[in-house]
Amino acid sequence: MAPRGAAPILPLALALTAVAAVSWARGPSGTLWFRQGCAALGRCCPGRDPTCAARGPPRCFCDQACREVRDCCPDYARACPAVSCVVAEWSGWSRCVKPCQVSYRLRQRRVLQEPRNGGAPCPPLEERAGCVEYWSHQGVECQQSLLPALITTGSYGKEREKRGVPKKQEIIGYCVQFRLGPVPGSCQQVRAPHAQWTRYLTQGHTVCVRCEWPAQDARSRRCYGDGGGAGGHQLSLWQAAGHPRCRGTWERLGQLRDCSCPEVHSLVFL
């Protein structure tokens, strides 16, 4: 015979079991249990996606916008970590897009890892730089009439291919020193990495400009715009390749076999 008062014990036990089950499903504040959260959902969605919601209660989301709306699942940061874009190294510079005229060259890089979950976006995948080629794509020498003198940073002279140079003949280059006249403010307003050298152009400074193949004329072995035909200290014009608004005048000081200017003031004719 059951003792008096035993009958109510079973319903009370069942009630406590039900409460424990609810507590287990919800867990302590800020935690998730089995079949809840982004890890259980198995998805991390871009933008705002109403379908990217984990089971509740309470209902929570695993999309990128949940950070702003503040309805992310507690395990969002762990299950959907931010992944920034990763890109490869730059390719080599291409040939000039259009030979025999002022044009541009290209270099590119590819994406190795797309950004996810609010990671840093990809940087530019293409860059352009001004250039001139004196040979057509068929190997025919161009007729030169490029004025004013086109100049760019001296590092371009090391990069460009020396096409058309006879194997058994050395093409001798030379250096010309100029004193810069007034330099427009547009030379300072540049963002492209390949054109940063124009920031160092300052009125009154001496620059060294290298004349070398293939910028040399095949007959005279001189570069157009080097001021060799001007008498005395006559002013002539120059223009930065790839930055058309950066142009001015300079005064020829003399010709040297080798350039001796600082790197930021060492340029090359195009």
Side-chain angles (χ1 to χ4, degrees):
M1 178 180 297
R4 182 180 296 181
I9 294 177
L10 182 58
L12 178 60
L14 293 175
L16 292 175
T17 302
V19 171
V22 172
S23 299
W24 175 262
R26 293 186 178 180
S29 177
T31 64
L32 293 168
W33 302 109
F34 182 63
R35 293 184 179 178
Q36 288 187 301
C38 300
L41 180 65
R43 296 173 59 197
C44 299
C45 311
R48 186 57 172 173
D49 187 347
T51 67
C52 197
R55 289 186 178 185
R59 194 183 187 204
C60 57
F61 290 84
C62 303
D63 56 12
Q64 183 177 338
C66 73
R67 291 182 181 273
E68 298 179 3
V69 183
R70 297 185 179 181
D71 57 1
C72 297
C73 293
D75 69 337
Y76 175 81
R78 181 177 68 258
C80 303
V83 178
S84 298
C85 178
V86 178
V87 296
E89 295 294 328
W90 285 110
S91 67
W93 287 103
S94 70
R95 296 185 60 177
C96 291
V97 175
K98 296 180 180 180
C100 302
Q101 59 180 291
V102 180
S103 182
Y104 62 91
R105 53 192 174 128
L106 295 171
R107 67 175 182 175
Q108 298 173 322
R109 54 186 173 185
R110 59 189 178 88
V111 176
L112 300 178
Q113 172 66 63
E114 293 284 356
R116 299 198 309 268
N117 308 326
C122 294
L125 301 178
E126 181 178 287
E127 278 190 347
R128 297 185 179 189
C131 66
V132 175
E133 281 192 4
Y134 293 86
W135 296 81
S136 70
H137 291 165
Q138 292 73 37
V140 179
E141 186 176 8
C142 308
Q143 297 295 321
Q144 300 306 321
S145 58
L146 296 170
L147 291 174
L150 290 169
I151 57 174
T152 190
T153 178
S155 62
Y156 176 61
K158 302 175 183 178
E159 297 172 2
R160 63 181 170 185
E161 182 182 354
K162 306 300 188 295
R163 288 180 290 273
V165 180
K167 294 182 179 180
K168 297 184 179 180
Q169 180 179 359
E170 181 182 5
I171 304 299
I172 304 299
Y174 60 92
C175 181
V176 183
Q177 287 187 322
F178 295 90
R179 180 181 294 112
L180 291 171
V183 176
S186 56
C187 296
Q188 309 294 322
Q189 301 169 1
V190 58
R191 294 182 179 179
H194 60 265
Q196 293 297 313
W197 63 273
T198 61
R199 293 178 178 270
Y200 298 98
L201 298 176
T202 305
Q203 181 176 358
H205 282 191
T206 298
V207 295
C208 297
V209 189
R210 181 80 179 169
C211 174
E212 59 187 8
W213 194 271
Q216 292 174 336
D217 178 75
R219 293 178 295 274
S220 68
R221 301 284 176 84
R222 304 198 67 85
C223 290
Y224 290 91
D226 71 351
H233 293 274
Q234 184 175 348
L235 296 179
S236 56
L237 301 175
W238 60 267
Q239 177 181 321
H243 193 349
R245 295 188 300 115
C246 182
R247 58 173 66 194
T249 60
W250 56 15
E251 177 187 356
R252 179 185 169 101
L253 300 180
Q255 179 175 320
L256 305 171
R257 172 66 186 276
D258 297 309
C259 293
S260 58
C261 291
E263 183 176 355
V264 292
H265 291 156
S266 295
L267 309 173
V268 64
F269 286 107
L270 291 178

